[in-house]
Amino acid sequence: MSGGVPRRSSRVRSMLRGPRPESVPVLVGRACALVGLLDVAAGVFPRFRHSRMHTLAEVLPGAFGPFAAALSLSAGMLLLLLAHGLKRGKRRAWRAAVALLPAGAIAQFSYRHSLLGALLSAALLVPLLRHRDQFAALPDPRSRWRALANFVLMGAGSLVLGLVIVSVHPNRVVGDPSLADRLTHVLYGLFGFEGPVDYQGDTSWTVAFSLGALGLLTAVTTIYLAFRPEHPAARLTEEDEARLRALLDKHGRRDSLGHFALRRDKAVVFSPSGKAAVTYRVVSGVMLASGDPIGDVEAWPGAIERFMDEARAHSWTPAVMGCSETGGEVWTRETGLDALELGDEAVVDVADFSLAGRAMRNVRQMVKRIERAGYETRVRRVRDLGEAELERIRQAAEDWRGTDTERGFSMALGRIGDLADGDCLIATAHKSDPEPGPYGDLKAILHFVPWGTDGASLDLMRRDRAADPGMNELLIVAALQAAPRFGITRVSLNFAMFRSALARGEKIGAGPVLRAWRGLLVFLSRWFQIESLYKFNAKFQPRWEPRFVVYRASADLPRIGFAAMQAEGFVTLALPLPRFLRRHRPAPRPCAHALTEHEARAA
């Protein structure tokens, strides 16, 4: 392999492997989840409390016996909340379990006089205490939004469980309450008040106690998440950004995704020598890197080692999205991870690009038609635009975005017009109208980030929905034709996911499996633009560079895929702010290193 990457011994490679699930944390976590489900069932369903399954469950930790359905329900919910953290070896989940199990043993002995149940509850403390070193994972990055999410999810879950609790006593209900009455009873009960539904005997007390316990548990967990010490999601500091820019100045030509490492919602780990770095974001417990490591390829192993150490310390699932073939070889060789081809990046060599020829007829005709309609294009460096025009472009890009959520992670910078990004290219389309819109004659925007000193990588494409079709094709052609003026010899366009499968599946002679796979991708393209991006890129006759996903085990792929969709903005779990609250953003943070360069160029 090119680059002269030094090989490491098998012992060192085994040390760099991802945080594989250990038997004790996984078994304890599964036991907690099972017992939690049994406890919830014991608290909700009266018949279950008299079944043989519940008799067996009572000797397990957390099953406090039939003395109080509410206590069993609360214990089950807590154990379900702790199960995932225990599986991942989280220290705080371990502490909570160590505190909960003795409480279960005391409850077993005090209320049921069950010596066996108390002994078994206490006995399960032994592996927790003996293997406490396997429960050393640090907390995940988090924010106050987690408290709101907990309130919404726990509140909805409590409402559903409460409705079940109210409805599973049909023989003891007085009268025939409607669904609205039952729902009102649940809402009152969660706040500790008596509702409109009456029961015979002690059932009314049991239902009221269970609903009150659910409401109290929701309130306590929400308050805890709101006031616990915050571990905010990592952000790129000014010092880290300056170091990354210095590495990109020397080695930025190697990877077209290198400049996207400067997203400020990423964290970074550097190699011991400081000559290489890996940027990442943690999403749903997945430590997600993108592209190749930044810097000297011989220092990549050191940065990868730091990355894996960080993943192991927090029990995160390591993954890399969109690395090149060289990057994939280094990652798999140094860590023992596996790689899977994810798709292809479209790269156009400027010297070979031309609108002449039959293959470019559609693009040529579209560009000519738009130019005859009165559109003109401008391609400039960001540093050559005035602040007023930059602000107009920023606002237009924000308003023309098709979704409320900013999409992009591995191939998106997340900002336009920052002082530190003066080398970025902006291609704009203009047309004078009798009644100009809020952005004057501006009709479309393309933003490119640097790829070394002689390349550019497409960042975003935005256009006015009222403009004529073909704005993106017009601006890509304009950028390619203007590239020699800026010393650019190659341009990276969009990433086409599963491009090879789509291309092979549409050829004559493709087998049934390949055709079925292509049919599924075409179906998914209704939501994820898989086929449309491939066909759009193919218009410009690019060369295709494969990109890979690096992962630990096949079982991790669904989780990694979901985390990647969250990072890219296709799946949003947090509640977005209204647009009018997101209109006014703080001014872009300047970078001293970049300002010095800009001043040097001006001099």
Side-chain angles (χ1 to χ4, degrees):
M1 185 188 67
S2 62
V5 181
R7 293 186 176 273
R8 290 177 178 262
S9 64
S10 59
R11 182 182 68 84
V12 175
R13 289 198 301 271
S14 65
M15 291 174 60
L16 296 180
R17 291 180 185 270
R20 296 186 180 276
E22 298 291 341
S23 58
V24 173
V26 171
L27 290 177
V28 170
R30 289 175 179 172
C32 277
L34 175 61
V35 174
L37 289 173
L38 294 175
D39 284 347
V40 170
V44 173
F45 302 104
R47 293 183 179 180
F48 184 80
R49 292 197 290 271
H50 304 286
S51 67
R52 185 172 300 177
M53 178 64 72
H54 182 252
T55 303
L56 297 175
E58 285 179 346
V59 301
L60 293 174
F64 295 156
F67 73 96
L71 194 56
S72 182
L73 187 61
S74 300
M77 296 291 289
L78 286 173
L79 288 171
L80 286 173
L81 292 175
L82 291 174
H84 182 65
L86 288 172
K87 285 182 181 181
R88 296 178 59 197
K90 291 295 184 180
R91 170 61 65 177
R92 291 190 175 181
W94 176 85
R95 291 173 180 170
V98 168
L100 184 60
L101 293 181
I106 294 173
Q108 289 277 14
F109 185 75
S110 300
Y111 291 91
R112 290 190 63 250
H113 307 291
S114 173
L115 181 62
L116 178 61
L119 289 176
L120 285 178
S121 296
L124 282 183
L125 280 173
V126 175
L128 280 174
L129 296 174
R130 182 179 179 183
H131 300 280
R132 60 182 177 274
D133 58 324
Q134 297 185 22
F135 296 89
L138 300 175
D140 290 348
R142 56 178 180 258
S143 66
R144 302 306 182 197
W145 286 104
R146 192 70 61 89
L148 178 60
N150 177 83
F151 177 76
V152 172
L153 295 177
M154 285 288 293
S158 298
L159 193 63
V160 173
L161 273 179
L163 199 57
V164 174
I165 292 171
V166 170
S167 304
V168 293
H169 305 275
N171 297 328
R172 294 187 175 261
V173 177
V174 177
D176 186 18
S178 63
L179 178 61
D181 291 335
R182 296 180 183 183
L183 189 59
T184 303
H185 192 87
V186 172
L187 291 174
Y188 275 68
L190 292 177
F191 288 95
F193 301 104
E194 188 68 27
V197 181
D198 292 326
Y199 298 89
Q200 299 174 358
D202 295 335
T203 303
S204 180
W205 179 88
T206 303
V207 170
F209 210 112
S210 299
L211 293 177
L214 282 175
L216 181 63
L217 186 63
T218 301
V220 169
T221 54
T222 301
I223 292 172
Y224 167 73
L225 292 173
F227 291 99
R228 66 178 175 172
E230 188 173 3
H231 292 262
R235 293 291 186 268
L236 207 63
T237 66
E238 292 188 25
E239 180 183 356
D240 290 339
E241 184 174 337
R243 294 177 65 184
L244 285 174
R245 288 184 183 276
L247 292 178
L248 288 171
D249 288 342
K250 295 180 180 179
H251 307 282
R253 194 178 188 277
R254 182 178 295 278
D255 185 16
S256 63
L257 306 188
H259 199 86
F260 298 121
L262 298 175
R263 283 184 66 104
R264 289 167 185 160
D265 57 358
K266 290 183 177 181
V268 61
V269 289
F270 289 91
S271 65
S273 64
K275 295 181 178 180
V278 175
T279 58
Y280 66 91
R281 187 197 297 176
V282 179
V283 183
S284 298
V286 177
M287 191 177 182
L288 201 62
S290 60
D292 293 344
I294 306 300
D296 188 353
V297 68
E298 297 211 8
W300 283 6
I304 291 173
E305 180 178 357
R306 291 284 180 87
F307 178 88
M308 299 301 290
D309 286 343
E310 191 77 5
R312 183 168 56 252
H314 292 83
S315 190
W316 291 330
T317 300
V320 185
M321 298 294 296
C323 64
S324 67
E325 187 170 2
T326 300
E329 289 178 359
V330 177
W331 274 100
T332 56
R333 194 186 70 196
E334 296 298 318
T335 64
L337 302 179
D338 293 323
L340 179 68
E341 186 173 344
L342 188 61
D344 296 272
E345 174 189 11
V347 178
V348 178
D349 293 314
V350 174
D352 298 332
F353 177 77
S354 173
L355 287 177
R358 183 178 180 83
M360 298 297 296
R361 181 180 60 181
N362 291 337
V363 176
R364 182 174 62 250
Q365 291 177 347
M366 179 175 292
V367 170
K368 295 297 184 183
R369 176 180 57 80
I370 296 174
E371 289 177 343
R372 286 195 299 269
Y375 289 88
E376 63 175 18
T377 59
R378 303 169 192 169
V379 182
R380 292 161 289 176
R381 296 279 190 187
V382 166
R383 62 173 175 265
D384 297 328
L385 276 71
E387 181 57 36
E389 186 173 7
L390 273 177
E391 182 60 27
R392 183 177 58 152
I393 290 174
R394 291 192 198 103
Q395 293 182 3
E398 173 76 12
D399 285 349
W400 294 343
R401 190 172 62 207
T403 61
D404 289 336
T405 304
E406 182 75 46
R407 289 185 174 176
F409 167 68
S410 56
M411 294 186 71
L413 188 59
R415 60 182 184 267
I416 298 178
D418 194 286
L419 293 175
D421 301 319
D423 285 339
C424 291
L425 281 179
I426 289 184
T428 54
H430 303 264
K431 181 183 179 182
S432 299
D433 292 328
E435 297 181 1
Y439 306 110
D441 63 349
L442 184 64
K443 300 301 179 183
I445 304 164
L446 258 62
H447 187 252
F448 296 84
V449 300
W451 175 10
T453 58
D454 62 346
S457 188
L458 181 60
D459 176 24
L460 62 80
M461 300 185 294
R462 301 280 165 80
R463 70 178 183 87
D464 186 349
R465 300 297 177 184
D468 293 341
M471 291 291 102
N472 294 329
E473 289 88 340
L474 172 69
L475 289 180
I476 287 179
V477 170
L480 290 171
Q481 292 176 339
R485 191 170 77 247
F486 299 99
I488 293 174
T489 61
R490 53 192 178 152
V491 175
S492 170
L493 301 180
N494 290 301
F495 170 74
M497 187 175 290
F498 306 118
R499 195 274 314 175
S500 58
L502 289 169
R504 292 197 303 266
E506 64 184 0
K507 291 183 178 179
I508 297 177
V513 176
L514 192 55
R515 288 185 179 274
W517 174 227
R518 181 183 180 277
L520 176 61
L521 293 176
V522 171
F523 175 75
L524 294 176
S525 296
R526 299 179 181 180
W527 297 277
F528 300 109
Q529 297 182 335
I530 299 174
E531 185 185 30
S532 59
L533 277 179
Y534 158 57
K535 290 186 174 181
F536 177 83
N537 292 334
K539 293 180 181 179
F540 304 96
Q541 303 299 308
R543 54 183 170 89
W544 300 101
E545 297 288 343
R547 291 280 174 173
F548 299 83
V549 55
V550 178
Y551 59 97
R552 182 177 58 190
S554 298
D556 293 333
L557 284 175
R559 185 180 180 188
I560 292 171
F562 184 72
M565 286 194 293
Q566 286 181 260
E568 297 287 352
F570 290 104
V571 176
T572 305
L573 300 182
L575 297 176
L577 292 175
R579 270 186 175 268
F580 71 89
L581 293 179
R582 291 184 280 114
R583 289 286 298 166
H584 303 288
R585 295 183 175 181
R589 163 165 66 83
C591 175
H593 175 73
L595 286 177
T596 302
E597 284 187 348
H598 183 63
E599 292 169 357
R601 290 193 186 97

